[in-house]
Amino acid sequence: MTKPSVYHSQGYNCAEALIKSYNEEHNTDIPVSLGSAMGTGMTVGSLCGAVNAAAMIVGYIKGRESNGEANEARGYARELMSRVREKFNSEICADLKRNKVSCAEIIDFSYEALKEVLDK
């Protein structure tokens, strides 16, 4: 499996890279294009694209199909966000960059946290 930071170094944005790696490792077919608008914190330094894509994958894997079902994805997303905040004190792209967190670091951390959360 190719690490998402490697895909990022090849020109994919952080969200696309995360989706691409997840598809490769788990034989899923989540459209990489879903991450195209998420890079660089939605292009304005907001929510980190890697974190955003990880939460989107949580929804894809654990989400519900109707409002009559319990929304279990929320708990998984909360756990994912807690791990990111615990490690970096923020999930905001501009804050991460200001705190000298490299894209590779947050991308790979988000991916590993995603896998750990989904494996629970």
PDB file of all heavy atoms in Angstrom, residues 32-46:
ATOM      1  N   VAL A  32     -11.879   9.540  -5.966  1.00  0.00           N
ATOM      2  CA  VAL A  32     -10.805  10.431  -5.528  1.00  0.00           C
ATOM      3  C   VAL A  32     -11.229  11.878  -5.714  1.00  0.00           C
ATOM      4  O   VAL A  32     -10.873  12.755  -4.920  1.00  0.00           O
ATOM      5  CB  VAL A  32      -9.495  10.108  -6.284  1.00  0.00           C
ATOM      6  CG1 VAL A  32      -8.411  11.126  -5.986  1.00  0.00           C
ATOM      7  CG2 VAL A  32      -9.013   8.701  -5.928  1.00  0.00           C
ATOM      8  N   SER A  33     -12.049  12.127  -6.715  1.00  0.00           N
ATOM      9  CA  SER A  33     -12.501  13.492  -7.014  1.00  0.00           C
ATOM     10  C   SER A  33     -13.279  14.122  -5.860  1.00  0.00           C
ATOM     11  O   SER A  33     -13.342  15.355  -5.768  1.00  0.00           O
ATOM     12  CB  SER A  33     -13.351  13.512  -8.281  1.00  0.00           C
ATOM     13  OG  SER A  33     -14.524  12.726  -8.115  1.00  0.00           O
ATOM     14  N   LEU A  34     -13.837  13.324  -4.966  1.00  0.00           N
ATOM     15  CA  LEU A  34     -14.541  13.894  -3.813  1.00  0.00           C
ATOM     16  C   LEU A  34     -13.610  14.738  -2.953  1.00  0.00           C
ATOM     17  O   LEU A  34     -14.046  15.656  -2.270  1.00  0.00           O
ATOM     18  CB  LEU A  34     -15.173  12.789  -2.961  1.00  0.00           C
ATOM     19  CG  LEU A  34     -16.367  12.069  -3.570  1.00  0.00           C
ATOM     20  CD1 LEU A  34     -16.821  10.931  -2.676  1.00  0.00           C
ATOM     21  CD2 LEU A  34     -17.512  13.047  -3.817  1.00  0.00           C
ATOM     22  N   GLY A  35     -12.320  14.442  -2.995  1.00  0.00           N
ATOM     23  CA  GLY A  35     -11.351  15.197  -2.217  1.00  0.00           C
ATOM     24  C   GLY A  35     -10.774  16.404  -2.930  1.00  0.00           C
ATOM     25  O   GLY A  35     -10.042  17.196  -2.328  1.00  0.00           O
ATOM     26  N   SER A  36     -11.115  16.586  -4.199  1.00  0.00           N
ATOM     27  CA  SER A  36     -10.467  17.635  -4.994  1.00  0.00           C
ATOM     28  C   SER A  36     -10.661  19.042  -4.453  1.00  0.00           C
ATOM     29  O   SER A  36      -9.773  19.878  -4.575  1.00  0.00           O
ATOM     30  CB  SER A  36     -10.944  17.554  -6.446  1.00  0.00           C
ATOM     31  OG  SER A  36     -10.497  16.351  -7.035  1.00  0.00           O
ATOM     32  N   ALA A  37     -11.784  19.329  -3.846  1.00  0.00           N
ATOM     33  CA  ALA A  37     -12.034  20.670  -3.318  1.00  0.00           C
ATOM     34  C   ALA A  37     -11.635  20.829  -1.857  1.00  0.00           C
ATOM     35  O   ALA A  37     -11.757  21.914  -1.295  1.00  0.00           O
ATOM     36  CB  ALA A  37     -13.512  21.027  -3.484  1.00  0.00           C
ATOM     37  N   MET A  38     -11.133  19.768  -1.252  1.00  0.00           N
ATOM     38  CA  MET A  38     -10.827  19.802   0.180  1.00  0.00           C
ATOM     39  C   MET A  38      -9.406  20.257   0.497  1.00  0.00           C
ATOM     40  O   MET A  38      -9.117  20.608   1.633  1.00  0.00           O
ATOM     41  CB  MET A  38     -11.041  18.417   0.791  1.00  0.00           C
ATOM     42  CG  MET A  38     -12.455  17.955   0.796  1.00  0.00           C
ATOM     43  SD  MET A  38     -12.528  16.306   1.551  1.00  0.00           S
ATOM     44  CE  MET A  38     -14.210  15.865   1.179  1.00  0.00           C
ATOM     45  N   GLY A  39      -8.498  20.220  -0.462  1.00  0.00           N
ATOM     46  CA  GLY A  39      -7.097  20.516  -0.198  1.00  0.00           C
ATOM     47  C   GLY A  39      -6.861  21.919   0.315  1.00  0.00           C
ATOM     48  O   GLY A  39      -7.638  22.838   0.068  1.00  0.00           O
ATOM     49  N   THR A  40      -5.786  22.076   1.065  1.00  0.00           N
ATOM     50  CA  THR A  40      -5.381  23.345   1.675  1.00  0.00           C
ATOM     51  C   THR A  40      -6.517  23.935   2.509  1.00  0.00           C
ATOM     52  O   THR A  40      -6.829  25.105   2.450  1.00  0.00           O
ATOM     53  CB  THR A  40      -4.887  24.356   0.615  1.00  0.00           C
ATOM     54  OG1 THR A  40      -4.076  23.679  -0.331  1.00  0.00           O
ATOM     55  CG2 THR A  40      -4.076  25.469   1.265  1.00  0.00           C
ATOM     56  N   GLY A  41      -7.145  23.068   3.282  1.00  0.00           N
ATOM     57  CA  GLY A  41      -8.211  23.527   4.175  1.00  0.00           C
ATOM     58  C   GLY A  41      -9.367  24.142   3.419  1.00  0.00           C
ATOM     59  O   GLY A  41      -9.767  25.269   3.699  1.00  0.00           O
ATOM     60  N   MET A  42      -9.875  23.391   2.437  1.00  0.00           N
ATOM     61  CA  MET A  42     -10.973  23.866   1.582  1.00  0.00           C
ATOM     62  C   MET A  42     -10.542  25.113   0.806  1.00  0.00           C
ATOM     63  O   MET A  42     -11.339  25.982   0.520  1.00  0.00           O
ATOM     64  CB  MET A  42     -12.243  24.134   2.394  1.00  0.00           C
ATOM     65  CG  MET A  42     -12.746  22.938   3.183  1.00  0.00           C
ATOM     66  SD  MET A  42     -13.350  21.582   2.187  1.00  0.00           S
ATOM     67  CE  MET A  42     -14.873  22.258   1.614  1.00  0.00           C
ATOM     68  N   THR A  43      -9.280  25.195   0.509  1.00  0.00           N
ATOM     69  CA  THR A  43      -8.590  26.262  -0.230  1.00  0.00           C
ATOM     70  C   THR A  43      -8.432  27.560   0.553  1.00  0.00           C
ATOM     71  O   THR A  43      -7.847  28.504   0.052  1.00  0.00           O
ATOM     72  CB  THR A  43      -9.236  26.572  -1.600  1.00  0.00           C
ATOM     73  OG1 THR A  43     -10.444  27.305  -1.422  1.00  0.00           O
ATOM     74  CG2 THR A  43      -9.474  25.317  -2.416  1.00  0.00           C
ATOM     75  N   VAL A  44      -8.916  27.607   1.791  1.00  0.00           N
ATOM     76  CA  VAL A  44      -8.840  28.843   2.575  1.00  0.00           C
ATOM     77  C   VAL A  44      -8.212  28.642   3.952  1.00  0.00           C
ATOM     78  O   VAL A  44      -8.321  29.509   4.820  1.00  0.00           O
ATOM     79  CB  VAL A  44     -10.241  29.502   2.725  1.00  0.00           C
ATOM     80  CG1 VAL A  44     -10.787  29.956   1.380  1.00  0.00           C
ATOM     81  CG2 VAL A  44     -11.219  28.561   3.423  1.00  0.00           C
ATOM     82  N   GLY A  45      -7.560  27.494   4.168  1.00  0.00           N
ATOM     83  CA  GLY A  45      -6.906  27.257   5.453  1.00  0.00           C
ATOM     84  C   GLY A  45      -7.837  26.783   6.546  1.00  0.00           C
ATOM     85  O   GLY A  45      -7.470  26.804   7.712  1.00  0.00           O
ATOM     86  N   SER A  46      -9.026  26.326   6.194  1.00  0.00           N
ATOM     87  CA  SER A  46     -10.003  25.860   7.173  1.00  0.00           C
ATOM     88  C   SER A  46      -9.707  24.411   7.559  1.00  0.00           C
ATOM     89  O   SER A  46      -8.541  24.051   7.721  1.00  0.00           O
ATOM     90  CB  SER A  46     -11.406  26.031   6.592  1.00  0.00           C
ATOM     91  OG  SER A  46     -12.379  25.766   7.569  1.00  0.00           O
TER      92      SER A  46
END
